[in-house]
Amino acid sequence: LYAGKRSIDFVGRWKLWLLLAGVIVAVAVGGLVTKGLDYGIEFVGGAEYRVSLPSDQVTQSLADDLREAVAGTGIENAQSPVVSTSGSEAVLIQTQPLSGEESKKVVETILKTSGASKDQLSQTELGASWGKEVAKRSLIGLGVFLVLVVLFIWAYFQQWKMSAAAMIALVHDVLITIGVYALSGFEVTPATVTGVLTILGFSLYDTVVVFDKVKENTKNLSKTRMTYAEAANLAVNQTLVRSINTSLVALLPVAALLYVGI
């Protein structure tokens, strides 16, 4: 692929790639429109219950039992509680905003299921103001980031078409990511914002690498027998090898984290 002895005709089959990308983006947007995003309590507010227990009792089995018990209370805002262990010290239960009576019923259910006493249970009401502030600042930061990216690519490559293509690539990657969150029901938390910004960084990195190789291959095009399309296609194939290797290396620590998490 790198030497050009074997190659994938990316440029010649641009209609096929555009169609595939369009279908994927359409599915992602459709999921976003029909199902929407499941915002965490940091954004919409809610209640958090912390049950402090001895380390030998803080297990995933107990967390699963608490999740089923709280969901079985029949309270609408507690149908999908987020239950997790906090190290080996406590179990955290998060629900949507509850009334006084509903919260009392949830507390009784938690105490009964976990066998804890009232002294071992603490309750916190979480407001949505912090999450809204994070979202606001994230959007401002994203806007500044995109403006700087456009200026950087335009100044470096001196072609507005490459700046436009970079923006399209960024929007493409972000839409697919958000669509996966909507279709899968993943909860959107402040960590999600970090993840999206990381994806933007990877997308921009690959964009710059590809365009830089295209610029290099087409610099002395008049001295070769290649057309611009052929030189650009060679550049994409050459960077494909690098992108695959870089992605595999980046996925190794992620795979390790997923394995440990499971």
Side-chain angles (χ1 to χ4, degrees):
L1 287 174
Y2 189 86
K5 295 178 180 179
R6 294 180 181 273
S7 64
I8 302 173
D9 189 8
F10 288 106
V11 176
R13 299 177 181 175
W14 66 271
K15 292 183 179 180
L16 173 62
W17 313 128
L18 186 61
L19 177 62
L20 291 176
V23 171
I24 295 174
V25 170
V27 172
V29 173
L32 186 61
V33 173
T34 57
K35 297 188 65 175
L37 295 173
D38 180 19
Y39 291 99
I41 63 174
E42 294 90 351
F43 292 99
V44 299
E48 181 178 84
Y49 305 89
R50 178 185 178 92
V51 186
S52 300
L53 296 168
S55 58
D56 60 331
Q57 297 182 30
V58 181
T59 62
Q60 186 60 44
S61 177
L62 176 60
D64 294 338
D65 292 341
L66 286 170
R67 183 183 298 106
E68 294 178 3
V70 173
T73 56
I75 301 173
E76 183 177 354
N77 283 359
Q79 290 298 308
S80 302
V82 178
V83 184
S84 60
T85 56
S86 177
S88 59
E89 301 174 354
V91 179
L92 300 179
I93 304 97
Q94 296 176 338
T95 68
Q96 296 181 25
L98 302 175
S99 65
E101 289 298 322
E102 290 174 339
S103 180
K104 183 179 179 181
K105 185 175 181 180
V106 169
V107 168
E108 293 175 351
T109 301
I110 293 174
L111 294 177
K112 181 179 179 181
T113 304
S114 64
S117 62
K118 291 185 178 181
D119 296 337
Q120 295 174 299
L121 177 66
S122 59
Q123 179 181 350
T124 305
E125 295 293 334
L126 301 177
S129 58
W130 180 80
K132 291 180 179 179
E133 185 66 19
V134 170
K136 178 182 176 182
R137 291 180 180 273
S138 297
L139 290 175
I140 294 174
L142 179 60
V144 174
F145 170 80
L146 294 178
V147 171
L148 292 177
V149 166
V150 172
L151 294 176
F152 168 76
I153 294 179
W154 176 80
Y156 184 74
F157 295 107
Q158 298 181 351
Q159 292 188 29
W160 68 267
K161 292 181 179 180
M162 288 189 172
S163 296
M167 290 302 98
I168 293 173
L170 288 175
V171 173
H172 168 272
D173 295 342
V174 171
L175 279 178
I176 292 177
T177 304
I178 297 176
V180 169
Y181 264 82
L183 291 171
S184 62
F186 289 157
E187 187 179 43
V188 178
T189 66
T192 304
V193 178
T194 305
V196 170
L197 292 176
T198 302
I199 289 173
L200 286 178
F202 270 95
S203 176
L204 179 61
Y205 169 80
D206 273 343
T207 299
V208 171
V209 168
V210 172
F211 285 167
D212 194 54
K213 196 63 179 177
V214 171
K215 184 179 180 181
E216 178 184 331
N217 287 2
T218 58
K219 185 177 182 180
N220 299 314
L221 195 60
S222 58
K223 298 180 181 179
T224 67
R225 297 181 178 179
M226 299 177 66
T227 64
Y228 187 93
E230 291 173 341
N233 196 70
L234 175 60
V236 176
N237 279 275
Q238 288 173 325
T239 53
L240 177 62
V241 178
R242 178 175 177 174
S243 295
I244 291 174
N245 292 335
T246 304
S247 299
L248 289 175
V249 172
L251 286 173
L252 287 177
V254 176
L257 289 173
L258 290 174
Y259 176 77
V260 173
I262 292 175

